[in-house]
Structure formats: structure tokens, C-alpha cells
Amino acid sequence: MGTYGDDGNSLVLRQRLRWRGHDAEIVRITLDDEVPDSCDIYTVGGGEDAAQKLAARHLSDSPGLQRAVSRGVPVLAICAGMQVFGEWFLASDGSRSRGLGLLDITTSPQASRSIGELVVEPQLAGLTQPLTGFENHMGATVLGSDAAALGRVLHGVGNGVPADPSAAPSAASTTAPGDSASTGASSTGSRIEGVVQGSIIATYMHGPVLARNPEFADLLLCRALGVDSLPPVDVPAVEQLRRERIATARR
């Protein structure tokens, strides 16, 4: 899936590897392909309801990604990709689909679509700069006890709140580490965004998110390479983009 340009995340990862002297190949998986378990990093993008259901079915029938996750291979999941990795998700027509069970989350519709700039204060070790992206989704994602939020929303909606609270599991089963609420709000009442569990990092941020957040891209690359840090790469245009997007969100 990659409806909102999320394919760009793999391009960013490849280029940032090449700038450091590493060879890198992108393996694109379609519904006609078996999902390999041999990749060093996986990215899954967003998509509409029909594509989301097909992706969930294909990834379930061809569990190469699940085997990779069991070995700790890093995975980036965006929007519908995040929802597919959960226990279940509700489509806009009310139909319920089973997810892969890789993330302790459930997703049901919000009362209205979340569209616009999203700025997040990360709560993940290794990320020190605000994350910026563009959200466009109807989903409200509820975290369970094994999942943690990627960060706290500074501007935008993030994980959201279900339109029908009864669609979400009970609060006792949906408390994320460090959070006492069962929806998109933390114990302090602030909104949360994204999900972190094991080697998977998931977010509602498009953009593509890694083009907007080079520190985030390098964190994933460090995990894939098994190193603590990478030589710096100076791309002034990226910093200008970040300043413009964050300024736009704050206006």
C-alpha cells in the first residue's frame, strides 16, 4: 500500500544508505508475490479500505513479515499499514477485519476525518526532534497494554478517539505503558500518536514521513545495520522543509 506517497519512505532509506557508502535494493511486494522474510527493513504504506483488507489477507497468507518481526527486524507501518498490524480494524462501512496481531491495538472510525499537518513530540529513545507529517485518516486507534505511543501530539489529531466508545475494548485492556487512558489521550489529557511495539514503529504521518524526518530515518537504519550511529548527512533542503511544515502547523 502507498496511496499517499508512502513508497517514498523506501526511497529515502535507500538514498540515505547510499550516501553512507552502503549498497541497498528495494524489493517491492505485490499481491502476486510471496512476502520474503529476508529483508533488513520493511515499510508498509497507507491505503483505502479495499486495499487494506486485501493487504491484511495477503500478509496473513504469506507470513514472511511476521517471521522477520519475530527476529527483531525493524518495520515502519503507516496509517492503514498500522491498522492492519493490529488485532482488528473496522472499515467505514462497519465491517470488521482481523489484523495480523503484531501490534496490541484496535481501530474503529472517528466521527470525522482527520486531515492536516501533524506535529509530534517523540517519546521513543533515539528521537530528539519533533516529528512532522500529514495525516489523512478516519481511524481511531486504541492502544493495549503491550503497545506504547510513538509520541505526544503538539498539533493535529494523531490516534484519535472512536466515534462509538463501545467499539473499543475496555479500559482495563487498553492501557499503554505510561498512559492511563484507553484511547488517543494520555494520563495528562494530551493526545498521543503512533504505536511502538517490539521492532515495529507505526504512525499516521504521511509526507512521506521519513523525507520530513531524517533523524527518524536514520534511527531505522541504525536498527537495520545493528549500529549505534551513522555518519551525518547534511541536506539543507530537508531542514528548510521541516521548518516550513512546523511553522505552517503552528499558524
Side-chain angles (χ1 to χ4, degrees), residues 16 37 50 77 81 86 100 173 187 210:
R16 295 188 72 83
D37 62 7
L100 302 182
S173 64
S187 57
L210 297 185

PDB file of all heavy atoms in Angstrom, residues 16 37 50 77 81 86 100 173 187 210:
ATOM      1  N   ARG A  16      19.685   7.356   1.795  1.00  0.00           N
ATOM      2  CA  ARG A  16      20.497   7.667   2.972  1.00  0.00           C
ATOM      3  C   ARG A  16      21.531   6.572   3.229  1.00  0.00           C
ATOM      4  O   ARG A  16      22.604   6.840   3.767  1.00  0.00           O
ATOM      5  CB  ARG A  16      19.608   7.907   4.194  1.00  0.00           C
ATOM      6  CG  ARG A  16      18.724   9.146   4.043  1.00  0.00           C
ATOM      7  CD  ARG A  16      17.972   9.505   5.317  1.00  0.00           C
ATOM      8  NE  ARG A  16      18.852  10.061   6.331  1.00  0.00           N
ATOM      9  CZ  ARG A  16      19.233  11.332   6.377  1.00  0.00           C
ATOM     10  NH1 ARG A  16      18.833  12.191   5.448  1.00  0.00           N
ATOM     11  NH2 ARG A  16      20.014  11.756   7.364  1.00  0.00           N
ATOM     12  N   ASP A  37      11.042 -13.145   4.073  1.00  0.00           N
ATOM     13  CA  ASP A  37      11.414 -12.876   5.470  1.00  0.00           C
ATOM     14  C   ASP A  37      12.873 -12.448   5.582  1.00  0.00           C
ATOM     15  O   ASP A  37      13.408 -12.335   6.683  1.00  0.00           O
ATOM     16  CB  ASP A  37      11.153 -14.097   6.345  1.00  0.00           C
ATOM     17  CG  ASP A  37      11.975 -15.326   5.932  1.00  0.00           C
ATOM     18  OD1 ASP A  37      12.847 -15.195   5.037  1.00  0.00           O
ATOM     19  OD2 ASP A  37      11.734 -16.412   6.497  1.00  0.00           O
ATOM     20  N   ALA A  50     -10.561  -1.055   0.764  1.00  0.00           N
ATOM     21  CA  ALA A  50     -10.458  -2.268  -0.057  1.00  0.00           C
ATOM     22  C   ALA A  50      -9.023  -2.771  -0.095  1.00  0.00           C
ATOM     23  O   ALA A  50      -8.761  -3.972   0.093  1.00  0.00           O
ATOM     24  CB  ALA A  50     -10.966  -1.993  -1.473  1.00  0.00           C
ATOM     25  N   ALA A  77       5.336   1.133   9.704  1.00  0.00           N
ATOM     26  CA  ALA A  77       3.975   0.983   9.193  1.00  0.00           C
ATOM     27  C   ALA A  77       3.268   2.328   9.239  1.00  0.00           C
ATOM     28  O   ALA A  77       3.302   3.011  10.265  1.00  0.00           O
ATOM     29  CB  ALA A  77       3.202  -0.048  10.008  1.00  0.00           C
ATOM     30  N   GLY A  81      -1.440   0.751   7.156  1.00  0.00           N
ATOM     31  CA  GLY A  81      -0.478  -0.286   7.486  1.00  0.00           C
ATOM     32  C   GLY A  81      -0.433  -0.547   8.975  1.00  0.00           C
ATOM     33  O   GLY A  81      -0.341  -1.697   9.433  1.00  0.00           O
ATOM     34  N   GLY A  86      -2.658  -4.494  13.649  1.00  0.00           N
ATOM     35  CA  GLY A  86      -3.329  -4.620  14.924  1.00  0.00           C
ATOM     36  C   GLY A  86      -4.146  -5.894  15.059  1.00  0.00           C
ATOM     37  O   GLY A  86      -4.094  -6.799  14.214  1.00  0.00           O
ATOM     38  N   LEU A 100      -3.155  -8.628  11.771  1.00  0.00           N
ATOM     39  CA  LEU A 100      -2.080  -9.610  11.901  1.00  0.00           C
ATOM     40  C   LEU A 100      -1.728  -9.912  13.352  1.00  0.00           C
ATOM     41  O   LEU A 100      -1.019 -10.875  13.628  1.00  0.00           O
ATOM     42  CB  LEU A 100      -0.829  -9.111  11.177  1.00  0.00           C
ATOM     43  CG  LEU A 100      -0.977  -8.805   9.688  1.00  0.00           C
ATOM     44  CD1 LEU A 100       0.362  -8.372   9.118  1.00  0.00           C
ATOM     45  CD2 LEU A 100      -1.531 -10.007   8.937  1.00  0.00           C
ATOM     46  N   SER A 173      -8.103  -3.218  29.434  1.00  0.00           N
ATOM     47  CA  SER A 173      -7.269  -3.962  28.496  1.00  0.00           C
ATOM     48  C   SER A 173      -6.586  -3.066  27.480  1.00  0.00           C
ATOM     49  O   SER A 173      -5.959  -3.562  26.563  1.00  0.00           O
ATOM     50  CB  SER A 173      -8.128  -4.988  27.738  1.00  0.00           C
ATOM     51  OG  SER A 173      -9.094  -4.314  26.950  1.00  0.00           O
ATOM     52  N   SER A 187      -2.429  10.160  30.175  1.00  0.00           N
ATOM     53  CA  SER A 187      -2.915  10.393  31.529  1.00  0.00           C
ATOM     54  C   SER A 187      -3.009  11.877  31.853  1.00  0.00           C
ATOM     55  O   SER A 187      -3.703  12.269  32.781  1.00  0.00           O
ATOM     56  CB  SER A 187      -1.980   9.699  32.526  1.00  0.00           C
ATOM     57  OG  SER A 187      -0.658  10.173  32.359  1.00  0.00           O
ATOM     58  N   LEU A 210       9.538   9.850   6.377  1.00  0.00           N
ATOM     59  CA  LEU A 210      10.992   9.795   6.508  1.00  0.00           C
ATOM     60  C   LEU A 210      11.689  10.899   5.727  1.00  0.00           C
ATOM     61  O   LEU A 210      12.802  11.300   6.078  1.00  0.00           O
ATOM     62  CB  LEU A 210      11.516   8.424   6.070  1.00  0.00           C
ATOM     63  CG  LEU A 210      11.036   7.239   6.920  1.00  0.00           C
ATOM     64  CD1 LEU A 210      11.719   5.954   6.470  1.00  0.00           C
ATOM     65  CD2 LEU A 210      11.259   7.481   8.407  1.00  0.00           C
TER      66      LEU A 210
END
